[in-house]
Amino acid sequence: MIKRLNPAHMAPPGGHYSHAVIAGHLVFVSGQLPITPSGTRLNQASFEEQARQTLSNVQAALEAAGSSVAQLVQVRVYVTSIDNWPAFNRVYQEWAGESLPARAVVPVPELHYGFSVEVEAVGEVA
């Protein structure tokens, strides 16, 4: 059975997709951007603030699915400048704590709305 989630405590998706989809014992979190729950786009914020909001959105989607950061299996990060990699890694390490999922970082030329970071993830649902 497949269950699609768009939690009320997150900004509505900006397109034809769900924030998270549960299939079997896994939750697939769509690419999250630095958009606050009220819908404010943080494209003018510092890279670190964008990263924190993006990871907060990933966490909100995981928790809505009955998962958590500790249950992450894989994380994919898109950054518009590889120069931001050290800053992202610091923010990510604080956020992820002891969780060490598989991870990829993909430099891209640009992201929607001029954002600097986007994160998608896969987690286990207990």
Side-chain angles (χ1 to χ4, degrees), residues 2 6 20 25 34 36 41 55 70 72 93 104 108 118:
I2 295 174
N6 288 306
H25 295 286
T36 68
R41 298 175 184 155
L55 293 171
L72 281 169
Q93 186 175 8
V108 296
E118 181 172 356

Coordinates of all heavy atoms in Angstrom, one line a residue, residues 2 6 20 25 34 36 41 55 70 72 93 104 108 118:
I2 N 0.5 2.2 -0.7 CA 1.2 3.5 -0.8 C 0.4 4.6 -0.1 O -0.8 4.7 -0.3 CB 1.5 3.9 -2.3 CG1 2.4 2.9 -2.9 CG2 2.0 5.3 -2.4 CD1 2.6 3.1 -4.4
N6 N 1.0 15.1 3.0 CA 1.2 16.5 2.9 C 0.8 17.1 4.3 O -0.3 17.6 4.4 CB 0.5 17.2 1.7 CG 1.1 16.7 0.4 OD1 2.3 16.9 0.2 ND2 0.3 16.2 -0.5
A20 N 5.9 13.6 1.2 CA 6.4 12.3 1.6 C 5.5 11.2 1.1 O 4.3 11.4 1.0 CB 6.6 12.2 3.1
H25 N 8.0 -0.3 4.2 CA 8.6 0.2 5.4 C 9.5 1.3 5.2 O 10.4 1.6 6.0 CB 9.4 -1.0 6.1 CG 8.5 -2.1 6.5 ND1 7.7 -2.0 7.6 CD2 8.3 -3.3 6.0 CE1 7.0 -3.1 7.8 NE2 7.3 -3.9 6.8
P34 N 14.2 25.6 1.3 CA 14.1 26.5 2.5 C 12.9 27.4 2.5 O 12.9 28.6 2.2 CB 15.4 27.3 2.5 CG 15.8 27.3 1.1 CD 15.3 26.0 0.5
T36 N 9.5 28.2 4.9 CA 8.9 28.1 6.2 C 7.5 27.4 6.2 O 6.9 27.4 5.1 CB 8.8 29.4 6.9 OG1 7.8 30.2 6.3 CG2 10.2 30.1 7.0
R41 N 9.5 32.1 1.5 CA 10.7 31.6 0.8 C 11.9 32.3 1.4 O 12.0 33.5 1.3 CB 10.6 31.8 -0.7 CG 9.4 31.1 -1.3 CD 9.2 31.5 -2.7 NE 8.0 30.8 -3.3 CZ 7.3 31.3 -4.3 NH1 7.8 32.4 -4.9 NH2 6.3 30.7 -4.7
L55 N 16.5 21.3 6.3 CA 16.6 20.1 7.1 C 15.4 20.0 8.1 O 14.9 18.9 8.4 CB 17.9 20.1 7.8 CG 19.1 19.9 6.9 CD1 20.4 20.1 7.7 CD2 19.1 18.5 6.2
A70 N 16.9 9.7 13.1 CA 17.6 8.5 13.5 C 17.3 7.3 12.5 O 18.2 6.4 12.5 CB 17.3 8.2 14.9
L72 N 16.9 7.6 9.2 CA 17.3 7.9 7.8 C 18.2 6.8 7.2 O 19.0 6.2 7.9 CB 18.1 9.2 7.8 CG 17.3 10.5 7.8 CD1 18.2 11.7 8.0 CD2 16.5 10.7 6.6
Q93 N 25.6 18.0 10.4 CA 26.1 17.2 11.5 C 25.4 17.6 12.8 O 25.0 16.7 13.6 CB 27.6 17.5 11.7 CG 28.3 16.6 12.7 CD 29.8 16.8 12.8 OE1 30.3 17.7 12.2 NE2 30.4 15.9 13.6
A104 N 24.7 11.7 -0.5 CA 25.4 12.2 -1.8 C 25.2 13.7 -1.8 O 24.2 14.2 -1.3 CB 24.8 11.6 -3.0
V108 N 24.8 21.7 -8.4 CA 23.9 22.1 -9.5 C 24.0 23.5 -9.8 O 24.4 24.3 -9.0 CB 22.4 21.7 -9.1 CG1 22.2 20.2 -8.9 CG2 21.9 22.5 -7.9
E118 N 18.8 22.2 -1.6 CA 17.6 21.3 -1.6 C 18.0 19.9 -1.1 O 19.1 19.5 -1.4 CB 17.0 21.2 -3.0 CG 15.8 20.3 -3.1 CD 15.1 20.4 -4.5 OE1 15.6 21.1 -5.3 OE2 14.1 19.6 -4.6

